Amino acid sequence: MSVASAFAGMRRVSPVVFRAGCPDCRGRFELAASALRLAIGASSRTTFYSFTCPECGAAVRKPAGERIVELLTGGGVRTLRLHSTL
């Protein structure tokens, strides 16, 4: 199967957007994958995602469990893997 035949009939790809909220201004909005960053640490306490609130400009950092990590990585969010310094 060629690439052309695999994608035959596709018109366009919709960009992935994620719903988010700001704890500072209580704003609710949608963000593109490029607006989010995911950091995966050695534990759940060091695994989080972050973004800048488009309404108030606050830097937001929220914990990311396994399901959130799966959704964000699958949606193309840029990921940083943190290493322990043992």
Side-chain angles (χ1 to χ4, degrees):
M1 175 182 284
S2 71
V3 172
S5 64
F7 291 102
M10 286 185 68
R11 299 288 181 235
R12 66 179 194 137
V13 177
S14 298
V16 176
V17 293
F18 297 93
R19 290 185 184 155
C22 177
D24 288 353
C25 72
R26 304 280 184 214
R28 297 250 176 240
F29 37 81
E30 292 183 341
L31 296 170
S34 60
L36 295 155
R37 299 291 177 267
L38 173 64
I40 300 176
S43 72
S44 61
R45 290 171 45 200
T46 57
T47 300
F48 60 91
Y49 66 98
S50 61
F51 59 90
T52 300
C53 175
E55 294 185 13
C56 73
V60 179
R61 178 176 162 165
K62 294 188 175 188
E66 288 182 32
R67 181 70 178 139
I68 298 294
V69 169
E70 183 181 315
L71 291 170
L72 294 177
T73 55
V77 171
R78 202 174 315 172
T79 303
L80 172 66
R81 296 201 182 271
L82 306 174
H83 299 281
S84 65
T85 57
L86 296 177

